[in-house]
Amino acid sequence: MPLIHTAAVAALRDADAAVEIAARCRGHVPAASRDALDAAAEQLRKAPLATPTLDLLAQVDGRRQVIASAALDRRLSTLLAMRESMARLQGLPSRPAITAAAPAEVCASCGFSRVLLSRIVGSHWVPDVLHADRPFEEFRAYMRSAEIPLAHMLLETEMVRRRRPTLVTDALGDEHTHKAIIQASDAHSYTASPIFAGRRAVGFLHCDRLGQDQPVTPEDRDNVWMFAQELALIIERGSVSEQLTAFAADTRRTLEGAVERIAAVGDAPVAIGEEPPDLTAAAGDDSQPTTRLVLALTPREREVLDLLAAGATNVSLARELVLSEATVKTHVTNILRKLRVRSRAEAVARYLQANATPLGTAA
Amino acid sequence: MTGGPAAPTPARRALAERRAALDRADRAHAADLRRATGTLDTIGPVLERLAHPQDPHELERRFCRDVATSCDFARVMLSRVDGAHWRPWAVSWATDPEYDRHFATHLRGTRIPFADAPAEERAHRDRTPIVLEPGAAPAPLVGLARTYVVVPLTGSSGVFGLVHADHGRTTRRIEPIDPDALWLLADGFARRYERALLGERLRTQQALLRAALAELEAASASAAPIALHPGPSDPRSTAIRRPPPVTLLSARERDVADLLAKGCNNAVIARELIIVEGTVKTHVKNVMRKLGAGTRAEAIALIHGHHAAAR
C-alpha cells in the first residue's frame, strides 16, 4: 500500500476513536485528529488518479464532513439547551433560588463536569454554589472558608476590570491564577466569566471539564460568557421589579403618614399655650424636604449615601464599591452639596430622618 | 491538437469525473458549513452590543438593524402583540432604506388578526419558531418575500411580540439554521427589552413623585388671602395647581405631547411624526411652556395627570 494510503487509513482510525470519545461526553473532536484528516485529504487529492485512492478520499471526505456537521449540531444544540436553562431560571420565584440553581443549569446545558458560582463581596471573591458530577469533599471544605482578595494582577480582577471572560489552559503554570483554589479544586484547564449587574461586577462563573479527557475550548468560553450575561439580566429583572413595587409602597406609606399628620394639625381644638410640634422628625428644619433632596442624587451617590449611613468610612466605601478613594471623596462632596449640609454626620442624620422610607437603590 | 497529453482513455475519464464530483461535494459542504457557522458566530456579539441601551425604543430600532446587517437577513420586522391581533411596529431592510419610509406610512400599526395569519398564530400559541411556506404570507407581507421565518418574543407575562425575518425580494431560501438562530436572538432581545422597560418604569415613578412634590411645594407657597366669602375662586390662588388644559396645545403639539408622555425621545418622535428633529425640539419647547413645566419629566407627569383627570 502506498505511504499516502497508510497515512490516510491511520488518520481515519484515529478520527473514529476521537469521534467515539467526543460523543460519549458531548465534547469536541481534537484539532489534531481533524488536521490529520485534512492533511490526508490533501495528499490523496494530489496523488495520481486511481480507484483505491478515490475510495479512500471519499471515506476521508465523508468523515471530515460528519465531524464538521456534528460540531455544528452540537454547538447549536448547546445554545438551544442554554435557552431552555435560562427559561427555567427565569421562572424561579426568587433571586436566591436562581443563583442556587444556576450552576446545575450551566453544567447540564454546556456539558461541563463542574461549575462554581461565586459572589463578589466588597473586594473579595467568595465561592458560593458548586455543582459537580462528584462530591469533591476537600474542595467544598476549602470553599466554606474561602474569601480571596481581588488583588492586582489576579486573573479574576482582570476579568472584572476588562469585562471579559477568560480561558486558562494550564491553571497551575499560569502566574495570574489563585494557587490555593487551584490546588483545592484540582483544576487544570478552566474557563470563567464575570457576572455584571449593570456596571457592577457581582460574581463569577468558573467551569471545567475535569474527568472528561479533554480541555475546555474557546467555544466553552463563549457559551459561559453568554450564560453569565443572560443570568445577570434574569437577576436584574427580578431586582428591578421588586424595586418598582417597593417604590410605590414607600411612596404610599410616606404620603399617607404626611396626610394624617397634616389633617391632625387642622382638626386640633384651640388651646392656650400650644407649642408647634417638633418638625425635625417629620421633614427636617429646611424648607426643602430631605426626601426631595435625596431624589436629586444619582443612583451611585445614593449607593454611597446608603453605605455612609451604615457607618462606612472612605476606605471601606472604596473597597465595597471597587472605586478609588479619590472617587469616593468626590461622591461624598457632591452628596453634601446636594443635601445642603456641611458634614458627613449631618448628611447621615438627615438621610436617616427622611428614611422612614429608604429611597436608596437596594442593589 | 496533436502535441498535448495523450487522449484520456474512458477509464481515466471516469476516474477524473469521480474526483471532480468528490471535489464539488466537498466544496458545497464547506460552503454550507461556513454560512451556518457564520450565523451562529453573530449571535453572541449582537446580543452583547444590545446589552447597553437603556431606552426601549432605541433597543427596538437597534435590534432590527443589527440582526438584519449581521445575520444576513434582508429584512427584519418587529411586531407587537395586542390580544388577538399583531401589529407591525419597526422594520429594517438592510439593502433598501426606502422601505423604512414605506413601512412607516403604510404598514406600521396595521392590526392583523391572528385568525388571518396561521403561521403567526402557531408561533404565538406554541412559543416556537415557524418557517412559512412560499405564497402563504398574510396581507402586509405578500409580494415581498417568498418565504420567511417568524419567532415569538416571550417575556415574563407571555408572548408580547413577534419577529419576522426574510431575504426580501431575492430567491434565497431560509437556511435550516435560520429559525433557531433568530429564536436565540429574539430570546436575548426579549430579556434586554423587558429589563430596559422596567428600568424606564422606575425612572417614570421617580419623575412622577418629583412632580407631585414640586406641585405640593408650589401650593404651600401661595397662601389664599382671607376673605369674607369663599367666593368664586381666582384661578391663580387655587391651592393645588391643576394640570393646564391640554386644549391650549395645537393639534400637532398634542401629537408630540402624547409621544412625549410615552417616554419617546426627540429622535423617536421625529421618526413617528415624520418631521425633522429641530421641529420636534420647537414643539417640545412650546408644550413645556404651555404646560408650565420646567423639565421634560415634569411635562410628562403633567400630561399623565391630565389624561388621568380626563378618564
Side-chain angles (χ1 to χ4, degrees):
Chain A
M1 195 169 7
L3 200 59
I4 293 170
H5 290 199
T6 321
V9 169
L12 274 172
R13 201 180 305 121
D14 171 62
D16 283 345
V19 165
E20 201 176 305
I21 292 175
R24 215 170 36 232
C25 55
R26 289 206 303 134
H28 312 253
V29 172
S33 302
R34 282 179 281 133
D35 291 347
L37 278 181
D38 287 347
E42 203 185 326
Q43 291 299 318
L44 291 169
R45 285 199 152 81
K46 282 186 196 149
L49 286 171
T51 302
T53 309
L54 289 182
D55 285 347
L56 256 178
L57 180 60
Q59 268 196 63
V60 170
D61 273 357
R63 193 71 83 258
R64 286 166 62 225
Q65 291 167 7
V66 165
I67 290 174
S69 301
L72 183 75
D73 285 351
R74 198 207 48 246
R75 190 169 164 206
L76 178 63
S77 68
T78 300
L79 287 170
L80 291 173
M82 284 164 63
R83 194 197 150 271
E84 296 285 325
S85 280
M86 289 163 199
R88 274 194 296 274
L89 289 175
Q90 208 160 342
L92 292 177
S94 70
R95 277 178 282 158
I98 294 170
T99 45
E105 292 288 0
V106 178
C107 244
S109 59
C110 303
F112 295 113
S113 62
R114 217 164 40 157
V115 174
L116 171 67
L117 183 127
S118 306
R119 284 176 298 134
I120 295 177
V121 181
S123 58
H124 285 74
W125 160 24
V126 182
D128 192 5
V129 186
L130 176 71
H131 181 87
D133 55 2
R134 276 181 283 152
F136 291 108
E137 302 292 357
E138 209 177 304
F139 183 35
R140 283 183 197 277
Y142 166 84
M143 270 175 58
R144 270 190 283 279
S145 58
E147 196 171 292
I148 305 161
L150 287 170
H152 182 53
M153 297 303 280
L154 184 68
L155 207 67
E156 277 68 19
T157 314
E158 273 306 287
M159 279 200 289
V160 170
R161 210 174 60 72
R162 302 183 46 220
R163 302 184 71 112
R164 299 302 311 171
T166 188
L167 179 67
V168 177
T169 44
D170 176 14
L172 264 182
D174 192 319
E175 56 177 325
H176 300 309
T177 56
H178 187 73
K179 295 301 169 302
I181 194 167
I182 299 299
Q183 276 153 5
S185 62
D186 190 27
H188 301 288
S189 140
Y190 69 87
T191 177
S193 268
I195 304 172
F196 278 90
R199 283 164 304 165
R200 223 175 136 175
V202 294
F204 298 110
L205 276 174
H206 286 78
C207 315
D208 72 3
R209 291 179 175 275
L210 193 73
Q212 288 188 355
D213 297 327
Q214 60 179 340
V216 291
T217 61
E219 190 185 315
D220 286 334
R221 178 198 57 205
D222 295 347
N223 288 341
V224 174
W225 178 224
M226 186 186 271
F227 211 115
Q229 291 173 77
E230 302 303 306
L231 180 63
L233 280 167
I234 292 169
I235 291 170
E236 271 182 53
R237 197 187 64 81
S239 165
V240 176
S241 50
E242 278 168 29
Q243 278 181 53
L244 280 166
T245 321
F247 191 88
D250 286 348
T251 308
R252 171 166 299 132
R253 204 169 55 232
T254 314
L255 293 183
E256 277 174 0
V259 167
E260 268 169 41
R261 285 194 296 275
I262 290 167
V265 171
D267 292 344
V270 174
I272 302 287
E274 181 178 288
E275 294 276 342
D278 180 11
L279 290 179
T280 48
D285 53 358
D286 202 294
S287 58
Q288 290 268 44
T290 308
T291 338
R292 191 158 166 241
L293 294 174
V294 169
L295 284 169
L297 301 180
T298 65
R300 195 58 159 178
E301 285 165 355
R302 257 180 257 166
E303 221 172 334
V304 171
L305 187 53
D306 272 336
L307 292 170
L308 215 56
T313 62
N314 279 358
V315 178
S316 62
L317 270 170
R319 221 181 33 222
E320 178 74 18
L321 301 174
V322 201
L323 290 175
S324 78
E325 256 193 81
T327 313
V328 170
K329 277 185 190 159
T330 312
H331 281 314
V332 172
T333 313
N334 288 339
I335 291 168
L336 298 189
R337 185 175 48 76
K338 287 186 181 174
L339 295 186
R340 301 180 190 170
V341 293
R342 275 175 299 275
S343 70
R344 299 155 73 96
E346 207 182 328
V348 171
R350 279 294 193 77
Y351 180 64
L352 292 177
Q353 279 165 11
N355 260 19
T357 58
L359 283 162
T361 50
Chain B
M1 294 299 279
T2 48
T9 63
R12 255 195 90 72
R13 204 180 303 127
L15 281 176
E17 268 166 23
R18 188 171 169 213
R19 242 285 294 281
L22 281 174
D23 289 354
R24 269 197 309 277
D26 204 52
R27 273 198 302 273
H29 188 266
D32 280 352
L33 210 66
R34 230 182 355 261
R35 200 178 309 116
T37 308
T39 304
L40 287 189
D41 283 345
T42 56
I43 294 173
V46 165
L47 290 181
E48 210 178 320
R49 274 199 302 279
L50 283 178
H52 303 298
Q54 302 268 303
D55 173 8
H57 306 285
E58 167 85 16
L59 262 177
E60 289 169 10
R61 249 199 333 272
R62 289 261 302 267
F63 175 71
C64 290
R65 200 190 54 208
D66 278 15
V67 173
T69 49
S70 47
C71 299
D72 200 20
F73 287 116
R75 181 172 55 161
V76 175
M77 183 174 81
L78 185 70
S79 302
R80 57 180 279 176
V81 166
D82 281 342
H85 297 80
W86 56 279
R87 305 167 69 182
W89 204 251
V91 78
S92 178
W93 193 333
T95 53
D96 186 1
E98 258 309 292
Y99 185 73
D100 288 5
R101 196 186 303 274
H102 166 78
F103 178 86
T105 45
H106 295 294
L107 291 185
R108 191 173 188 283
T110 317
R111 284 156 60 89
I112 304 164
F114 276 111
D116 295 351
E120 283 74 8
E121 200 271 331
R122 265 179 62 210
H124 179 246
R125 189 192 55 210
D126 300 343
R127 300 187 177 189
T128 182
I130 301 289
V131 178
L132 194 89
E133 297 311 320
L141 304 150
V142 157
L144 294 171
R146 298 180 47 75
T147 161
Y148 64 77
V149 54
V150 54
V151 301
L153 284 173
T154 312
S156 52
S157 52
V159 176
F160 64 87
L162 298 172
V163 180
H164 288 78
D166 67 20
H167 293 302
R169 295 195 180 89
T170 67
T171 51
R172 266 185 66 186
R173 66 200 160 99
I174 298 288
E175 303 294 334
I177 205 161
D178 287 346
D180 285 333
L182 191 65
W183 199 24
L184 291 165
L185 283 162
D187 243 49
F189 168 74
R191 248 191 297 281
R192 282 153 183 77
Y193 192 73
E194 199 172 350
R195 168 69 185 84
L197 205 65
L198 291 179
E200 196 184 56
R201 286 183 186 170
L202 208 56
R203 287 192 293 278
T204 307
Q205 274 188 341
Q206 287 164 353
L208 286 170
L209 179 60
R210 261 197 296 270
L213 290 172
E215 222 173 80
L216 280 173
E217 211 166 66
S220 73
S222 63
I226 294 175
L228 278 181
H229 298 286
S233 64
D234 175 357
R236 274 168 310 180
S237 70
T238 317
I240 303 280
R241 189 153 52 103
R242 287 218 167 67
V246 169
T247 45
L248 282 178
L249 303 180
S250 72
R252 202 49 166 173
E253 283 165 357
R254 244 177 310 206
D255 291 342
V256 172
D258 283 342
L259 291 169
L260 195 63
K262 283 185 199 144
C264 300
N265 60 29
N266 284 355
V268 175
I269 297 175
R271 197 177 53 123
E272 293 290 307
L273 301 179
I274 320 179
I275 50 183
V276 298
E277 257 192 82
T279 315
V280 174
K281 276 186 194 156
T282 313
H283 283 315
V284 170
K285 214 165 27 185
N286 290 336
V287 168
M288 282 171 56
R289 186 176 46 77
K290 289 186 182 176
L291 297 183
T295 65
R296 256 178 114 85
E298 206 182 329
I300 293 171
L302 288 171
I303 298 162
H304 277 292
H306 175 84
H307 287 332
R311 269 200 292 276

